[in-house]
C-alpha cells in the first residue's frame, strides 16, 4: 500500500496457534469459537503480521514475530513455522537484514520480539538486524528486564537482552516521534509499556494497533485477552483509539489477524465497530 511517501508492506513473521480461551479472556467459548474455530488442542489460528515501511530514506520494520530460537517442544505447542519466516519473507521483497535501519517493537512478548535476535553460526545470540536501531518504550524495557517473578515467563531475555549490549537499543518515553512521519502512541493495557505505531502523511494516517486490538474479532470493548496485564486499561483505551480511527478514516493494520492485514473501521450500533475495505493477510 502506498501512503504518501511511504510504501507499506505486510510481511509475515510466521503463523502460529495460541489457546483460544487465553486470546479471548472472559468471552464465553460458545461465542468466540464462532469467529475463531479452535483445533483439537483448543488453539486458534494466529498471524504475526509485521510491517515494512519504506520511503527512500528510512527502512522501518514494525515487529519481528516469534523468530526461530524456540525448542522443538515449544515449536510443537505453538505450531510455529519452520526456519526464519520473517527473514525469508523480507528477502522475497528484496530486503536484506542489513537494509533495515529502524525496528519498532510494540512490546517484548515472544511473538513480537522473538525475531529481533537469532543464533549465529556459533550458536551465539545476536541482533537479527545488525544495523538497525531497536525502539522500545522505557516502561516496557524496565518491566521486561526487572526479573519480577510474575513477569519472568512473559519475557524470555534471549529475545532482547543482547540489543542493549550491542548498542542497538533506543528507549522512548511516552508518545514520541521515531522517524519523520512515524511515531509511538502509548496504548497501555496489554502491557504497561505497550505502544501502537502511527504513520501520518498528507495522504492519510495508518495505525498499527498491535495487541491493543490483536484481530478484527477483538473490536468490542470487552473482547480482550487474558494476557492483558491491565484489562481495565485495555477496555478504556481500545474504544478511544478505535473511535478515532473510525472517525478520521485511518487505515488500520492488524498484527495478529490471520485473514485481514489492513482495513478501515466504521462505527456500528450493535457491534461498536466493524471493518470495511479489508485486505488479506499474507
Amino acid at each position: 500500500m502506498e501512503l504518501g511517501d511511504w510504501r507499506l508492506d505486510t510481511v509475515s513473521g510466521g503463523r502460529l496457534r495460541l489457546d483460544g480461551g487465553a486470546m479471548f479472556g472472559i468471552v464465553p467459548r460458545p461465542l468466540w469459537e464462532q469467529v475463531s474455530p479452535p483445533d483439537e488442542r483448543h488453539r486458534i489460528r494466529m498471524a504475526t503480521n509485521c510491517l515494512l515501511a519504506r520511503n527512500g530514506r528510512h527502512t522501518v520494520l514494525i515487529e519481528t514475530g516469534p523468530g526461530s530460537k524456540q525448542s522443538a517442544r515449544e515449536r510443537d505447542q505453538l505450531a510455529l513455522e519452520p526456519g526464519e519466516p520473517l527473514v525469508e519473507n523480507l528477502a522475497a521483497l528484496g530486503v536484506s537484514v542489513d537494509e533495515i535501519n529502524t525496528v519498532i517493537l510494540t512490546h517484548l512478548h515472544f511473538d513480537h520480539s522473538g525475531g529481533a535476535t537469532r543464533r549465529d553460526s556459533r550458536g551465539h545470540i545476536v541482533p537479527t538486524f545488525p544495523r538497525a536501531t531497536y525502539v522500545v518504550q522505557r516502561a516496557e524495557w524496565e518491566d521486561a528486564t526487572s526479573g519480577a517473578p510474575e513477569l519472568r515467563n512473559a519475557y524470555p531475555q534471549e529475545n532482547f537482552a543482547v540489543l542493549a549490549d550491542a548498542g542497538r537499543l533506543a528507549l522512548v518515553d511516552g508518545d514520541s516521534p521515531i522517524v519523520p512521519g512515524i511515531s509511538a502512541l502509548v496504548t497501555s493495557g496489554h502491557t504497561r509499556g505497550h505502544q501502537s505505531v502511527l504513520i501520518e502523511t498528507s495522504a492519510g494516517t495508518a495505525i498499527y494497533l498491535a495487541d491493543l486490538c490483536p484481530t478484527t474479532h477483538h473490536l468490542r470493548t470487552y473482547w480482550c485477552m487474558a494476557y492483558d496485564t491491565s484489562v481495565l486499561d485495555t477496555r478504556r483505551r481500545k474504544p478511544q483509539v478505535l473511535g478515532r480511527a473510525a472517525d478520521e478514516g485511518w487505515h488500520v493494520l492488524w498484527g495478529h489477524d490471520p485473514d485481514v492485514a489492513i482495513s478501515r473501521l466504521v462505527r456500528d450500533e450493535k457491534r461498536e465497530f466493524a471493518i470495511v475495505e479489508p485486505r488479506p493477510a499474507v
Side-chain angles (χ1 to χ4, degrees):
M1 181 178 79
E2 304 290 339
L3 187 66
D5 294 337
W6 292 95
R7 175 173 177 80
L8 307 179
D9 290 288
T10 299
V11 186
S12 176
R15 299 269 172 151
L16 73 160
R17 287 180 177 265
L18 292 175
D19 182 82
M23 283 302 300
F24 287 99
I26 66 168
V27 180
R29 178 169 177 149
L31 295 181
W32 64 253
E33 69 180 1
Q34 293 179 35
V35 296
S36 293
D39 65 12
E40 68 284 353
R41 296 165 71 176
H42 314 292
R43 306 172 303 180
I44 62 172
R45 295 185 304 122
M46 300 285 290
T48 56
N49 298 320
C50 306
L51 184 70
L52 179 69
R54 295 173 283 178
N55 70 354
R57 298 180 299 280
H58 300 279
T59 302
V60 180
L61 179 66
I62 302 172
E63 307 290 57
T64 63
S68 60
K69 301 185 298 297
Q70 296 81 9
S71 67
R73 179 171 177 270
E74 291 170 322
R75 300 191 73 79
D76 173 68
Q77 289 176 332
L78 298 165
L80 291 173
E81 292 183 29
E84 292 185 290
L86 177 60
V87 173
E88 295 160 12
N89 291 325
L90 285 170
L93 290 175
V95 178
S96 73
V97 295
D98 292 328
E99 292 178 79
I100 305 295
N101 47 50
T102 303
V103 175
I104 304 172
L105 297 173
T106 63
H107 61 297
L108 295 173
H109 288 168
F110 88 95
D111 51 331
H112 298 259
S113 69
T117 62
R118 68 201 305 196
R119 295 189 185 277
D120 66 13
S121 59
R122 297 173 296 171
H124 297 159
I125 294 174
V126 298
T128 303
F129 306 97
R131 297 182 179 178
T133 297
Y134 289 74
V135 181
V136 182
Q137 283 288 325
R138 186 179 304 276
E140 181 70 11
W141 184 262
E142 289 173 350
D143 287 350
T145 59
S146 68
E150 69 274 13
L151 293 174
R152 190 174 298 124
N153 290 340
Y155 291 116
Q157 300 297 297
E158 64 181 8
N159 290 337
F160 50 79
V162 71
L163 301 178
D165 298 336
R168 309 312 308 177
L169 180 68
L171 300 179
V172 295
D173 294 291
D175 299 348
S176 305
I178 297 174
V179 301
I182 298 182
S183 60
L185 177 69
V186 174
T187 47
S188 305
H190 184 62
T191 68
R192 183 171 70 98
H194 183 280
Q195 61 185 355
S196 299
V197 182
L198 282 173
I199 303 165
E200 299 174 283
T201 77
S202 59
T205 297
I207 184 167
Y208 188 93
L209 292 171
D211 280 354
L212 173 68
C213 187
T215 78
T216 58
H217 304 307
H218 289 81
L219 288 168
R220 298 181 187 184
T221 296
Y222 289 94
W223 286 53
C224 299
M225 292 182 280
Y227 300 117
D228 290 351
T229 58
S230 179
V231 69
L232 182 58
D233 286 343
T234 301
R235 290 176 185 173
R236 288 170 172 162
R237 192 73 168 115
K238 180 168 64 171
Q240 293 174 353
V241 175
L242 297 184
R244 188 177 175 194
D247 295 343
E248 298 184 20
W250 294 354
H251 299 277
V252 178
L253 305 162
W254 301 97
H256 279 310
D257 198 291
D259 301 310
V260 180
I262 305 172
S263 75
R264 293 184 192 265
L265 290 178
V266 294
R267 292 186 182 269
D268 185 278
E269 290 186 3
K270 293 183 178 180
R271 296 171 294 174
E272 298 184 50
F273 300 97
I275 66 166
V276 293
E277 303 175 26
R279 301 189 189 191
V282 293

